[in-house]
Amino acid sequence: MFEKLRSKIPIDILNKEIDLENFISKARIEIDKNGYFIAKKLISNEWYHSCRKEAIEYFNKYSCKKNDLPTALRGNVSAGMADLLGYEKNTAWHLFRYCGFRWNKPNIELIKVLETSHSLSRIRNVIYGNDLEYGDFIEENNFFTYTSLSLYPLGGGFLNKHIDFKPSWNIKPMIHFKVELTHKGKDYNNGGLYLTDKSNNSICLSDYVDPTDIIFFEGSQPHEIKPTGSGKLGRIAFFEIPASVIPSSRKCIYSGDGISFPKKVLIKIINLL
């Protein structure tokens, strides 16, 4: 399993000193006990800084156009939809969010971010006990994963406290990972990722994360991004979201010849039911 896992991850992503078998064993124990685990120095320093550079340049380029952006995506994913950069400010969240889907050609502006997201999702699968490539593509149950890169802007970027479940509402909790590309106390002064652990303690995980560290946690533990304050950049982080496509988006008419327009409409209506 571990040799196969390494073969599915670009050689330069992980810290070469990491013992994958020992790391995954420790991660399982800590997540089961506390609801989270911080993998110190999991990815290489050079790779981390390449991801950071990509993300900062991307948001510097597009965040100034927030009034022209669509609403940020949160759920309701249709199979085959285009990648999306959106912006939203409401009572539940305030952020810029880029969503990248593997069925599309990779965004050349975020190549390292996307490769890292896909690789960590496979590591997450091994920790979780799923098949290595589970969610790489749409599964029979409509499950899949996609990359979410977010900027929580200075002066109040946030995400309300919530819990997540697998789309199938499986009793077994899902595992998330977070790659923080900007850091509290350096790039922004307040807020960060807060999680309620299994002892009911509220912990700011961002306080304990350094460059190249990766956070793993159970999505069923309450978590939130508290409002950013002042600083230089705001909070930038990414992860691979476990999700499911809208079932009706996978249904269509594959042959149009000889089918009347009213029948096509009827088929569309049936597929939406």
Side-chain angles (χ1 to χ4, degrees), residues 108-147:
I108 60 172
E109 296 178 285
L110 296 168
I111 289 294
K112 293 291 180 68
V113 168
L114 294 171
E115 287 184 354
T116 308
S117 181
H118 301 337
S119 296
L120 292 174
S121 185
R122 289 169 177 170
I123 291 175
R124 181 249 311 272
N125 279 339
V126 175
I127 295 172
Y128 194 73
N130 283 332
D131 291 338
L132 183 62
E133 297 175 340
Y134 186 64
D136 277 11
F137 303 100
I138 302 173
E139 304 289 337
E140 289 185 5
N141 63 356
N142 294 318
F143 177 86
F144 79 113
T145 62
Y146 67 95
T147 300

Side-chain angles (χ1 to χ4, degrees), residues 200-265:
N200 206 34
N201 300 309
S202 179
I203 301 171
C204 180
L205 297 180
S206 298
D207 285 340
Y208 300 97
V209 175
D210 297 311
T212 75
D213 297 347
I214 309 297
I215 301 168
F216 293 87
F217 66 95
E218 287 186 359
S220 55
Q221 296 299 126
H223 54 283
E224 64 184 306
I225 307 299
K226 289 196 174 182
T228 57
S230 59
K232 298 177 181 178
L233 295 170
R235 180 180 182 272
I236 299 176
F238 70 91
F239 72 125
E240 189 96 351
I241 296 184
S244 60
V245 296
I246 299 170
S248 62
S249 69
R250 303 188 71 190
K251 299 176 180 178
C252 64
I253 302 169
Y254 293 99
S255 175
D257 291 344
I259 300 179
S260 67
F261 179 74
K263 187 171 183 179
K264 289 180 181 179
V265 173

Side-chain angles (χ1 to χ4, degrees), residues 128 164-166 170-175 198 218-220:
Y128 194 73
D164 300 311
F165 294 95
K166 284 184 64 176
N170 195 317
I171 294 175
K172 183 180 180 182
M174 70 166 70
I175 295 174
K198 292 191 175 182
E218 287 186 359
S220 55

